[in-house]
Amino acid sequence: MTVLVGVRCTDGVVIGADSAATSAAGNMHLLKLASDKIVIVSERVIVAGTGQIGLGQRFTDQVKQAHDAKLFQQSPVNVAKALAAAGRNDFASTGATQGSYGALVGAPIEDSGQLIEFATADFQPELKNGKIHFVAMGSGQTLAEPFMSFVDRTFWRNKAPDVKAALFGVHWALAHTIRCAPGFVGDPICLAKLTNGNNGWKAELVSDEVLQEQAEHMAAIEERIAGYRDEMLGLVEAVAVPKP
């Protein structure tokens, strides 16, 4: 079971995931294990998957082959269609059940960070842009996506954020989902970012220090919300918020 969250930003892409995986015999879950659900391909592409781990390994290999074949130099729509076709054909070659795997891919295409969702139900692709700049997938979607809508409305003002703001929003949504989910999603949180620096576009996992920084921001904001409740109820004297 999984929760994935992705955001197309003004200056790149952020994708996050929990790290819990389950081992099962039929419909009976046996073990809850730690798993890497985000893979960096050639330091240029982020791939995150939900569903059968083996299908994720195969799709990641398809993305690697596509990158080496210069597919990402084509238009975003053509890249999305080609990756979807490659994944579906590979899965069909061994009779994989449709609906067993979905993915998020972040990549530089036409010198812009693009976020593509490959739906779990049929693996059809969708480019995230405009007002639809974030997405959640997996068993934790029902918890993560409404929370992302709250973050989008309050912190991002219904506009695509930059990578720095997206890292916080995605971390907060994942933490909320892990705390509230009945099971099969869990720590640690993993975040990856795609940014354009002095040496061009680069995809990478964020460091433990950056993850800790997001956790500290989250704790401070939640404490501020709790304090505002007390002010609203007249339990404490209101204090002006200091200027940053």
Side-chain angles (χ1 to χ4, degrees), residues 102-205:
L104 295 177
V105 171
I109 307 172
E110 293 185 340
D111 201 32
S112 176
Q114 298 287 340
L115 175 62
I116 311 171
E117 175 191 8
F118 296 88
T120 303
D122 54 13
F123 215 65
Q124 293 303 309
E126 178 180 323
L127 291 161
K128 300 301 175 182
N129 50 45
K131 293 183 178 180
I132 308 176
H133 47 263
F134 66 87
V135 61
M137 298 183 72
S139 61
Q141 178 182 3
T142 54
L143 287 168
E145 201 152 84
F147 196 88
M148 284 296 296
S149 179
F150 162 74
V151 171
D152 184 54
R153 174 172 54 85
T154 56
F155 283 84
W156 303 338
R157 304 297 186 184
N158 295 311
K159 296 179 181 178
D162 61 15
V163 165
K164 184 176 181 180
L167 285 170
F168 168 72
V170 171
H171 185 281
W172 199 11
L174 291 170
H176 165 78
T177 303
I178 291 169
R179 285 184 293 189
C180 298
F184 303 116
V185 296
D187 288 317
I189 291 171
C190 181
L191 297 178
K193 63 179 181 177
L194 172 70
T195 53
N196 192 7
N198 294 332
N199 297 319
W201 288 96
K202 182 178 181 180
E204 59 185 331
L205 297 174

Side-chain angles (χ1 to χ4, degrees), residues 1 4 25 48 64 76-77 90-91 137 141-142 145 157 162 179 200 212-213 231 236 238 243:
M1 303 274 183
L4 306 179
K64 176 67 165 59
V77 170
D90 183 89
F91 301 159
M137 298 183 72
Q141 178 182 3
T142 54
E145 201 152 84
R157 304 297 186 184
D162 61 15
R179 285 184 293 189
Q212 181 61 33
E213 181 182 352
E231 293 173 16
V236 297
K243 293 183 179 180

Side-chain angles (χ1 to χ4, degrees), residues 59-75:
F59 180 63
T60 300
D61 183 65
Q62 292 294 328
V63 172
K64 176 67 165 59
Q65 293 182 43
H67 177 271
D68 293 346
K70 311 298 183 185
L71 173 68
F72 290 92
Q73 295 180 7
Q74 299 184 25
S75 71

